[in-house]
Amino acid sequence: MSRERLRVAVVGVGHLGRFHAKIYADNPRAELVGVVDASPERARTVAEEARTRAFARVEDLPDVDAVSIAVPTVHHAAVAVPLLESGRSCLIEKPLAATLADADLILAAAKRGNARVAVGHVERFQPGLRKVRELGLRPKFIECHRLAPFSFRSQDIGVVHDLMIHDLDLVLDLMGSEVASLDAAGGAILTDNEDVASVRLVFANGARANVTASRASLQPMRRFRMFSPESYVSLDFQKNYGLLVRKGPRWEEGRLDLRRLDPAELAKRPDFLTKDLLEVVELELGGSERPLQAELDSFLRAIQEDREVEVTGLDGRRALALADRIAGEIRAQAW
């Protein structure tokens, strides 16, 4: 499809869907033809903000090329399947579905309708992650922490499917290998589902990852660290800051110096490690577009250019399957 402007709609304009509508309204690739929400008042409010029309039902929408679906997870399949079967491409917010059975219904509908499914794992579009991919880093160990104060949203799912699934998707994508085994711990604090979770993942290629998530923290934290034989990268998604440490051009020569210099002499050369032996670089991330803007623009471009979306339905199913496995192990502990 090469249409200059795609006709798009947003179904579900709560906290996140509202941002989808606003971004589409300002995107030159899109013509936002309408928004749908179970609350007529909310639909009207967002429609006014985004300069479009409000509808009570998906069936009432005019003809569209693509739809963002940001309804509660339990309704993803019910909304997405008819749209996909009719050939409308859908960007479905994470997690892809409430169950793997629903995820499979969504993927089958997309195949029948020859439509694209993109999944809203927006962290794939973080500037720091983009930079890491440009560098071609293949980590052997990843450590990530995603902590947040309790928001009173998403109480129908646990923190694994609410927050941790972002990092599970990133780890699966960066490792390029299947999970061979895992060891998970966590439990409920504020809700009936787990509110804190931590898991150790072991991959078939020998790589490891430690992933921690909490929605019962006083201060937010979104940190992602990657280690490889050649380099170390630290990303702070909260501050949009990244640091790369890698072997410098005098690495081999510096290692010889390190062996022969005594500690007293090394103490007189404080820059030896960071200037002679290693290269320490702050990643240039300033001025980059917001991840959600990049995600939605990438979705539209994929449709226009007739190519695969960046985060596919299969990617979303894989992250959901791993999240289910982790949450199941935590529930089995009966904490």
Side-chain angles (χ1 to χ4, degrees):
M1 182 177 292
S2 58
R3 187 182 299 171
E4 184 176 346
R5 296 182 71 198
L6 298 174
R7 292 169 60 82
V8 302
V10 180
V11 180
V13 286
H15 175 75
L16 192 53
R18 189 174 198 163
F19 289 113
H20 281 243
K22 290 180 178 180
I23 291 170
Y24 281 137
D26 294 329
N27 190 307
R29 301 181 190 277
E31 177 190 353
L32 181 64
V33 300
V35 299
V36 180
D37 197 89
S39 165
E41 182 179 354
R42 185 162 56 205
R44 285 194 298 270
T45 298
V46 175
E48 289 177 7
E49 292 173 350
R51 307 179 300 280
T52 190
R53 297 170 63 193
F55 295 91
R57 304 183 310 156
V58 177
E59 295 81 4
D60 297 332
L61 283 168
D63 188 39
V64 294
D65 303 306
V67 179
S68 272
I69 298 174
V71 297
T73 305
V74 69
H75 301 306
H76 282 184
V79 174
V81 166
L83 289 167
L84 292 166
E85 287 180 331
S86 64
R88 276 75 172 178
S89 293
C90 293
L91 189 153
I92 304 172
E93 270 303 335
K94 65 81 195 166
L96 171 60
T99 66
L100 289 176
D102 276 359
D104 290 336
L105 288 175
I106 289 170
L107 297 179
K111 187 173 183 179
R112 288 194 298 272
N114 193 28
R116 289 169 176 79
V117 176
V119 185
H121 286 289
V122 69
E123 300 289 45
R124 291 265 200 113
F125 298 86
Q126 285 283 356
L129 265 300
R130 295 281 209 202
K131 187 68 69 173
V132 166
R133 289 191 183 89
E134 291 174 11
L135 295 170
L137 177 68
R138 274 296 175 185
K140 293 297 183 182
F141 176 61
I142 293 176
E143 184 176 49
C144 37
H145 292 82
R146 186 173 296 265
L147 315 179
F150 191 65
S151 67
F152 299 96
R153 296 194 305 269
S154 302
Q155 294 185 56
D156 57 324
I157 57 176
V159 73
V160 174
H161 291 80
D162 183 16
L163 298 182
M164 181 183 280
I165 198 168
H166 281 299
D167 293 317
L168 297 178
D169 172 69
L170 294 179
V171 167
L172 288 168
D173 181 54
L174 289 165
M175 290 302 197
S177 179
E178 295 301 315
V179 174
S181 65
L182 62 85
D183 180 25
I189 301 173
L190 302 172
T191 71
D192 294 332
N193 300 297
E194 80 281 351
D195 297 306
V196 60
S198 185
V199 63
R200 169 81 162 176
L201 301 172
V202 179
F203 290 84
N205 64 3
R208 304 285 196 275
N210 290 342
V211 185
T212 298
S214 170
R215 57 185 183 188
S217 300
L218 294 179
Q219 297 294 329
M221 176 192 295
R222 290 190 294 158
R223 292 181 183 170
F224 201 94
R225 298 193 295 169
M226 291 158 281
F227 302 82
S228 77
E230 297 79 26
S231 59
Y232 155 68
V233 174
S234 177
L235 300 175
D236 188 328
F237 295 151
Q238 195 79 17
K239 299 177 180 178
N240 195 27
Y241 176 81
L243 188 70
L244 167 68
V245 180
R246 59 188 170 192
K247 297 173 182 177
R250 294 188 62 251
W251 170 256
E252 293 300 333
E253 181 182 346
R255 289 177 72 191
L256 293 175
D257 290 342
L258 193 61
R259 291 191 184 100
R260 65 180 178 78
L261 294 174
D262 63 58
E265 191 171 351
L266 281 172
K268 298 175 183 177
R269 299 172 57 181
D271 294 336
F272 173 75
L273 182 64
T274 56
K275 290 188 177 179
D276 292 350
L277 200 61
L278 300 174
E279 181 182 6
V280 181
V281 181
E282 289 190 357
L283 299 178
E284 182 57 51
L285 306 179
S288 302
E289 64 181 336
R290 290 179 299 162
L292 186 56
Q293 286 179 309
E295 178 184 60
L296 298 186
D297 193 64
S298 173
F299 174 55
L300 297 174
R301 281 190 286 110
I303 299 170
Q304 288 179 322
E305 297 169 9
D306 193 25
R307 58 173 176 78
E308 187 59 275
V309 296
E310 289 194 51
V311 187
T312 68
L314 287 175
D315 291 334
R317 190 194 188 282
R318 184 172 59 162
L320 176 61
L322 181 55
D324 282 356
R325 189 175 166 189
I326 294 167
E329 181 159 320
I330 291 173
R331 284 194 298 271
Q333 299 168 12
W335 181 22

